[in-house]
Amino acid sequence: MPQPTEVSLLTHLLLPPASLPTILTLQKFTALFPISLRSSPQIPLLYHELQHQRALQIDAVRKNVAAEAKRGESMKREVIRTRRREEREGPGLGVDVEEDRGIEGLLADTNGSGKSHTLASILPELDAACSDLEAEIAELEDEAGRVLSEMQRTVGQLSDLRYGKFAVSVREEVLEGLKDLRATSSGFSGSS
């Protein structure tokens, strides 16, 4: 018996095995209402809305399962990359390689056949690795842009401080704060 995959487990656990009309027919749905309301034309509309909402939820769960599976594959590749880097750098760098030997069999070949990769099996793996790298590069570029803008803002503030522009705004804020304090304290002294 083949081992269940993450996708099959999540799909079987989170998605219903049958459609709504199979589980709950319109007649059974109508029977859930009080007798006085069962002839209402709104009940079929509610039933169809329930079907629609359920379909939307099922689609959302399917998308989340697919995203989780993709994330799981990405995590596998990261573990493999880390293990290879550790093997190149050697033991004794504070990482216990023996700890992860339990999952080594699962990660040794990601095509699941127990054999070496073929051209047909390695291409999807390489495509996925390329997309992971592209996403990582995009994240690093975003982070570099944020750091650069923060540095430019800091340099601008330091420049303002050096040329006295910053001091003027601080002086005005301090004077305004003192006026507020004076007004507040005179309000307290006048009321006692």
PDB file of all heavy atoms in Angstrom, residues 33-45:
ATOM      1  N   PHE A  33     -37.559  23.440   8.564  1.00  0.00           N
ATOM      2  CA  PHE A  33     -38.248  24.672   8.926  1.00  0.00           C
ATOM      3  C   PHE A  33     -39.582  24.366   9.610  1.00  0.00           C
ATOM      4  O   PHE A  33     -40.146  23.284   9.436  1.00  0.00           O
ATOM      5  CB  PHE A  33     -38.484  25.525   7.672  1.00  0.00           C
ATOM      6  CG  PHE A  33     -37.219  26.133   7.130  1.00  0.00           C
ATOM      7  CD1 PHE A  33     -36.450  25.454   6.193  1.00  0.00           C
ATOM      8  CD2 PHE A  33     -36.793  27.367   7.568  1.00  0.00           C
ATOM      9  CE1 PHE A  33     -35.283  25.996   5.705  1.00  0.00           C
ATOM     10  CE2 PHE A  33     -35.624  27.931   7.078  1.00  0.00           C
ATOM     11  CZ  PHE A  33     -34.870  27.245   6.148  1.00  0.00           C
ATOM     12  N   PRO A  34     -40.103  25.328  10.364  1.00  0.00           N
ATOM     13  CA  PRO A  34     -41.434  25.138  10.960  1.00  0.00           C
ATOM     14  C   PRO A  34     -42.480  24.930   9.857  1.00  0.00           C
ATOM     15  O   PRO A  34     -42.339  25.426   8.741  1.00  0.00           O
ATOM     16  CB  PRO A  34     -41.697  26.446  11.712  1.00  0.00           C
ATOM     17  CG  PRO A  34     -40.360  27.068  11.892  1.00  0.00           C
ATOM     18  CD  PRO A  34     -39.496  26.589  10.778  1.00  0.00           C
ATOM     19  N   ILE A  35     -43.531  24.222  10.161  1.00  0.00           N
ATOM     20  CA  ILE A  35     -44.554  23.859   9.174  1.00  0.00           C
ATOM     21  C   ILE A  35     -45.144  25.097   8.513  1.00  0.00           C
ATOM     22  O   ILE A  35     -45.384  25.108   7.309  1.00  0.00           O
ATOM     23  CB  ILE A  35     -45.661  23.010   9.842  1.00  0.00           C
ATOM     24  CG1 ILE A  35     -45.065  21.674  10.291  1.00  0.00           C
ATOM     25  CG2 ILE A  35     -46.834  22.785   8.907  1.00  0.00           C
ATOM     26  CD1 ILE A  35     -46.004  20.826  11.127  1.00  0.00           C
ATOM     27  N   SER A  36     -45.310  26.151   9.278  1.00  0.00           N
ATOM     28  CA  SER A  36     -45.917  27.365   8.718  1.00  0.00           C
ATOM     29  C   SER A  36     -45.033  28.038   7.667  1.00  0.00           C
ATOM     30  O   SER A  36     -45.533  28.776   6.828  1.00  0.00           O
ATOM     31  CB  SER A  36     -46.249  28.354   9.832  1.00  0.00           C
ATOM     32  OG  SER A  36     -45.049  28.740  10.499  1.00  0.00           O
ATOM     33  N   LEU A  37     -43.731  27.772   7.683  1.00  0.00           N
ATOM     34  CA  LEU A  37     -42.808  28.425   6.745  1.00  0.00           C
ATOM     35  C   LEU A  37     -42.372  27.524   5.591  1.00  0.00           C
ATOM     36  O   LEU A  37     -41.684  27.977   4.682  1.00  0.00           O
ATOM     37  CB  LEU A  37     -41.562  28.908   7.493  1.00  0.00           C
ATOM     38  CG  LEU A  37     -41.789  29.976   8.559  1.00  0.00           C
ATOM     39  CD1 LEU A  37     -40.490  30.271   9.283  1.00  0.00           C
ATOM     40  CD2 LEU A  37     -42.347  31.240   7.933  1.00  0.00           C
ATOM     41  N   ARG A  38     -42.755  26.273   5.603  1.00  0.00           N
ATOM     42  CA  ARG A  38     -42.273  25.321   4.596  1.00  0.00           C
ATOM     43  C   ARG A  38     -42.733  25.654   3.186  1.00  0.00           C
ATOM     44  O   ARG A  38     -42.087  25.255   2.230  1.00  0.00           O
ATOM     45  CB  ARG A  38     -42.693  23.903   4.958  1.00  0.00           C
ATOM     46  CG  ARG A  38     -41.941  23.378   6.152  1.00  0.00           C
ATOM     47  CD  ARG A  38     -42.309  21.976   6.488  1.00  0.00           C
ATOM     48  NE  ARG A  38     -41.642  21.586   7.723  1.00  0.00           N
ATOM     49  CZ  ARG A  38     -41.920  20.514   8.400  1.00  0.00           C
ATOM     50  NH1 ARG A  38     -42.863  19.678   7.979  1.00  0.00           N
ATOM     51  NH2 ARG A  38     -41.278  20.230   9.515  1.00  0.00           N
ATOM     52  N   SER A  39     -43.799  26.377   3.035  1.00  0.00           N
ATOM     53  CA  SER A  39     -44.279  26.716   1.689  1.00  0.00           C
ATOM     54  C   SER A  39     -43.691  28.035   1.182  1.00  0.00           C
ATOM     55  O   SER A  39     -44.009  28.468   0.076  1.00  0.00           O
ATOM     56  CB  SER A  39     -45.806  26.796   1.692  1.00  0.00           C
ATOM     57  OG  SER A  39     -46.227  27.809   2.585  1.00  0.00           O
ATOM     58  N   SER A  40     -42.814  28.634   1.939  1.00  0.00           N
ATOM     59  CA  SER A  40     -42.234  29.919   1.557  1.00  0.00           C
ATOM     60  C   SER A  40     -41.345  29.767   0.316  1.00  0.00           C
ATOM     61  O   SER A  40     -40.552  28.821   0.214  1.00  0.00           O
ATOM     62  CB  SER A  40     -41.396  30.468   2.717  1.00  0.00           C
ATOM     63  OG  SER A  40     -40.687  31.606   2.301  1.00  0.00           O
ATOM     64  N   PRO A  41     -41.440  30.717  -0.617  1.00  0.00           N
ATOM     65  CA  PRO A  41     -40.574  30.655  -1.803  1.00  0.00           C
ATOM     66  C   PRO A  41     -39.112  30.993  -1.478  1.00  0.00           C
ATOM     67  O   PRO A  41     -38.223  30.800  -2.306  1.00  0.00           O
ATOM     68  CB  PRO A  41     -41.191  31.683  -2.747  1.00  0.00           C
ATOM     69  CG  PRO A  41     -41.944  32.614  -1.869  1.00  0.00           C
ATOM     70  CD  PRO A  41     -42.384  31.820  -0.681  1.00  0.00           C
ATOM     71  N   GLN A  42     -38.864  31.459  -0.262  1.00  0.00           N
ATOM     72  CA  GLN A  42     -37.502  31.806   0.133  1.00  0.00           C
ATOM     73  C   GLN A  42     -36.662  30.567   0.466  1.00  0.00           C
ATOM     74  O   GLN A  42     -35.437  30.619   0.412  1.00  0.00           O
ATOM     75  CB  GLN A  42     -37.540  32.738   1.361  1.00  0.00           C
ATOM     76  CG  GLN A  42     -38.216  34.074   1.103  1.00  0.00           C
ATOM     77  CD  GLN A  42     -37.464  34.897   0.077  1.00  0.00           C
ATOM     78  OE1 GLN A  42     -36.242  34.938   0.060  1.00  0.00           O
ATOM     79  NE2 GLN A  42     -38.204  35.534  -0.820  1.00  0.00           N
ATOM     80  N   ILE A  43     -37.305  29.465   0.814  1.00  0.00           N
ATOM     81  CA  ILE A  43     -36.562  28.261   1.212  1.00  0.00           C
ATOM     82  C   ILE A  43     -35.707  27.718   0.068  1.00  0.00           C
ATOM     83  O   ILE A  43     -34.521  27.442   0.278  1.00  0.00           O
ATOM     84  CB  ILE A  43     -37.522  27.191   1.782  1.00  0.00           C
ATOM     85  CG1 ILE A  43     -38.075  27.700   3.122  1.00  0.00           C
ATOM     86  CG2 ILE A  43     -36.809  25.859   1.964  1.00  0.00           C
ATOM     87  CD1 ILE A  43     -39.056  26.775   3.786  1.00  0.00           C
ATOM     88  N   PRO A  44     -36.222  27.592  -1.160  1.00  0.00           N
ATOM     89  CA  PRO A  44     -35.332  27.149  -2.241  1.00  0.00           C
ATOM     90  C   PRO A  44     -34.181  28.133  -2.493  1.00  0.00           C
ATOM     91  O   PRO A  44     -33.060  27.715  -2.802  1.00  0.00           O
ATOM     92  CB  PRO A  44     -36.254  27.049  -3.453  1.00  0.00           C
ATOM     93  CG  PRO A  44     -37.614  26.865  -2.894  1.00  0.00           C
ATOM     94  CD  PRO A  44     -37.622  27.604  -1.598  1.00  0.00           C
ATOM     95  N   LEU A  45     -34.454  29.416  -2.324  1.00  0.00           N
ATOM     96  CA  LEU A  45     -33.382  30.405  -2.487  1.00  0.00           C
ATOM     97  C   LEU A  45     -32.311  30.226  -1.410  1.00  0.00           C
ATOM     98  O   LEU A  45     -31.111  30.311  -1.697  1.00  0.00           O
ATOM     99  CB  LEU A  45     -33.955  31.821  -2.437  1.00  0.00           C
ATOM    100  CG  LEU A  45     -34.894  32.207  -3.573  1.00  0.00           C
ATOM    101  CD1 LEU A  45     -35.497  33.584  -3.328  1.00  0.00           C
ATOM    102  CD2 LEU A  45     -34.148  32.186  -4.900  1.00  0.00           C
TER     103      LEU A  45
END
